[in-house]
């Protein structure tokens, strides 16, 4: 079983701007971090606004520990070579991410005294013309379990057409 969490930013004046609707294991709880999300531009699909340039950071409480979630969004299509971390990452192939295929990477982010494992997804949404880098920060091999749940994620409004 899985659940979905909407990662969004907004307020009563400007409304809500969605980054993504993320499907994940039911046992994972997403925890918004205060003042850790910003939206600089957006696109609209009917009544739904999607962030086209911005960043969101959350914590995720899992049965195996707490990890971080970082989502960064840019307008247009971005190639992996435009990201320093992805240039040296190990590619784990592709997974379904809603109606798209997401490239999956794994790498270690090093800072002065620490190193942290990162599982990253790079996905392009042609419906909203934006690229998303979604990073699961911390944990161990078990973090990869999320890959089997991402197919139910949403990064645009599906055309119900007929």
């Amino acid at each position: 079983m899985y659940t979905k969490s909407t990662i969004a930013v907004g307020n009563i004046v400007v409304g809500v701007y969605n980054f993504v609707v993320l499907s994940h294991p039911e046992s994972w709880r997403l925890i918004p971090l205060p003042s850790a999300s910003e939206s600089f531009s957006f696109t609209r699909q009917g009544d739904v606004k999607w962030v086209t340039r911005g960043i969101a950071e959350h914590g995720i409480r899992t049965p195996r520990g707490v990890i971080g979630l970082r989502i960064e969004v840019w307008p247009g299509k971005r190639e992996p070579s435009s990201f320093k971390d992805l240039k040296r990452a190990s590619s784990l192939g592709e997974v379904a991410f809603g109606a798209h295929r997401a490239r999956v990477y794994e790498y270690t982010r090093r800072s002065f005294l620490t190193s942290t494992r990162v599982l990253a997804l790079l996905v392009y949404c042609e419906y909203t013309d934006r690229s998303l880098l979604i990073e699961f920060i911390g944990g161990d091999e078990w973090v990869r379990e999320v890959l089997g749940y991402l197919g139910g994620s949403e990064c645009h409004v599906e055309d119900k057409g007929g």
Side-chain angles (χ1 to χ4, degrees), residues 109-124:
R109 183 171 289 149
R110 301 184 196 294
S111 63
F112 183 64
L113 295 174
T114 63
S115 61
T116 306
R117 178 192 197 102
V118 178
L119 178 68
L121 293 104
L122 181 61
V123 63
Y124 172 68

Side-chain angles (χ1 to χ4, degrees), residues 49-124:
K49 293 178 264 184
W50 296 99
V51 173
T52 55
R53 179 71 178 110
I55 187 167
E57 294 183 350
H58 283 55
I60 302 176
R61 181 174 293 128
T62 79
R64 294 186 175 169
V66 177
I67 61 173
L69 172 67
R70 185 172 195 268
I71 302 173
E72 200 159 355
V73 183
W74 296 268
K77 187 170 186 173
R78 301 279 303 254
E79 293 300 323
S81 59
S82 64
F83 299 94
K84 181 180 90 172
D85 286 332
L86 298 186
K87 285 181 187 177
R88 57 181 176 75
S90 298
S91 175
L92 300 180
E94 293 185 343
V95 295
F97 189 88
H100 310 290
R101 300 297 296 169
R103 296 181 191 175
V104 181
Y105 300 91
E106 196 167 67
Y107 53 90
T108 301
R109 183 171 289 149
R110 301 184 196 294
S111 63
F112 183 64
L113 295 174
T114 63
S115 61
T116 306
R117 178 192 197 102
V118 178
L119 178 68
L121 293 104
L122 181 61
V123 63
Y124 172 68

